[in-house]
């Protein structure tokens, strides 16, 4: 069964600290893995897209890694800001526009 | 470029009624996908339309249907509403030519079924 699991479910950190969110997947076939940021009450916004051959991709303070052998990905946020408070969703594309979504990690950044 | 727009933003219906949601993609995008988001299940794929044809479908009952018009605008219909259909319905658009491309999401329509 195609599945994407994220951990932790929720996380609270202080402004300026770093954090890492995890994503494990059992999806086949694998086309690419995406991380989205979703602010409360808004649609998700794409942060990174990684194919099988890519193991790191950055977007500003966001860095995603992918280990296709262990089927794990992580999203590292550096020097967190209050505006980073959101849900972060890991999505695996199983080809032909079939997307498997994780349930997300809810991040709260405190001043 | 204007982003993806969805109407209405909020909707309240009662069980047994039907509802139609609308999505206007980014200009030039030919693919529109629909998703249901609930606190318990997260985001789930409903279906994807490309050039007026349903190209992919998720595991939802036949009460959920959609269509796409020649201008790429898409509508989603849910008939015989159930309490469990209360959710945020999101649409996303893309050019539809590559599985590596970015999907752009709209703000969603929040449906409450009483």
């Amino acid at each position: 069964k195609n599945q994407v699991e994220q951990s932790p479910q929720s996380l609270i950190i202080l402004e300026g600290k770093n954090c890492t969110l995890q994503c494990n997947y059992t999806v086949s076939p694998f086309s690419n893995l995406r991380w989205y940021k979703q602010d409360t009450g808004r649609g998700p916004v794409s942060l990174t897209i990684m194919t099988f051959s890519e193991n790191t991709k950055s977007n500003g303070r966001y860095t995603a890694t992918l280990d296709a052998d262990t089927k794990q990905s992580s999203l590292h946020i550096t020097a967190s800001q209050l505006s980073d408070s959101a849900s972060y969703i890991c999505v695996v594309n199983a080809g032909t526009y079939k997307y498997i979504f994780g349930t997300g990690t809810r991040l709260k950044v405190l001043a | 470029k204007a982003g993806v727009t969805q109407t209405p933003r909020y909707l309240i219906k009662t069980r047994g009624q039907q509802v139609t949601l609308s999505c206007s993609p980014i200009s030039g995008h030919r693919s529109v996908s629909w998703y249901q988001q609930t606190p318990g299940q997260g985001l789930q794929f409903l279906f994807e339309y490309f050039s007026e044809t349903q190209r992919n479908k998720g595991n939802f009952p036949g009460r959920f249907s959609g269509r796409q018009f020649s201008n790429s605008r898409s509508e989603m219909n849910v008939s015989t509403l159930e309490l469990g259909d209360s959710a945020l319905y999101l649409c996303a658009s893309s050019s539809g030519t590559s599985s590596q491309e970015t999907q752009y999401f709209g703000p969603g329509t929040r449906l409450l079924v009483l």
Side-chain angles (χ1 to χ4, degrees), chain B residues 11-60:
Chain B
L11 207 49
I12 299 175
K13 292 286 188 178
T14 56
R15 278 181 300 174
Q17 287 187 308
Q18 75 161 15
V19 66
T20 299
L21 313 181
S22 180
C23 173
S24 292
I26 290 172
S27 178
H29 284 184
R30 293 161 65 191
S31 170
V32 174
S33 298
W34 287 91
Y35 301 88
Q36 181 194 67
Q37 186 174 34
T38 58
Q41 298 291 323
L43 270 156
Q44 292 182 283
F45 172 70
L46 280 156
F47 29 67
E48 185 242 354
Y49 285 87
F50 178 80
S51 292
E52 301 179 67
T53 300
Q54 187 181 87
R55 191 161 60 172
N56 285 287
K57 190 177 189 302
N59 298 321
F60 277 80

Side-chain angles (χ1 to χ4, degrees), chain A residues 38-107:
Chain A
Q38 185 176 22
D39 293 314
T40 302
R42 308 188 72 166
V45 174
S46 180
L47 294 175
T48 61
I49 301 175
M50 287 185 293
T51 61
F52 185 88
S53 59
E54 296 174 296
N55 52 27
T56 303
K57 187 162 273 190
S58 293
N59 178 356
R61 294 179 298 101
Y62 301 101
T63 299
T65 64
L66 174 64
D67 185 333
D69 291 332
T70 61
K71 299 189 176 181
Q72 295 180 324
S73 176
S74 64
L75 180 69
H76 186 75
I77 304 175
T78 303
S80 61
Q81 301 176 357
L82 296 178
S83 59
D84 292 331
S85 294
S87 286
Y88 292 84
I89 303 170
C90 174
V91 186
V92 177
N93 185 339
T96 59
Y97 296 92
K98 183 176 181 181
Y99 298 97
I100 314 298
F101 288 80
T103 53
T105 292
R106 188 177 297 274
L107 175 66

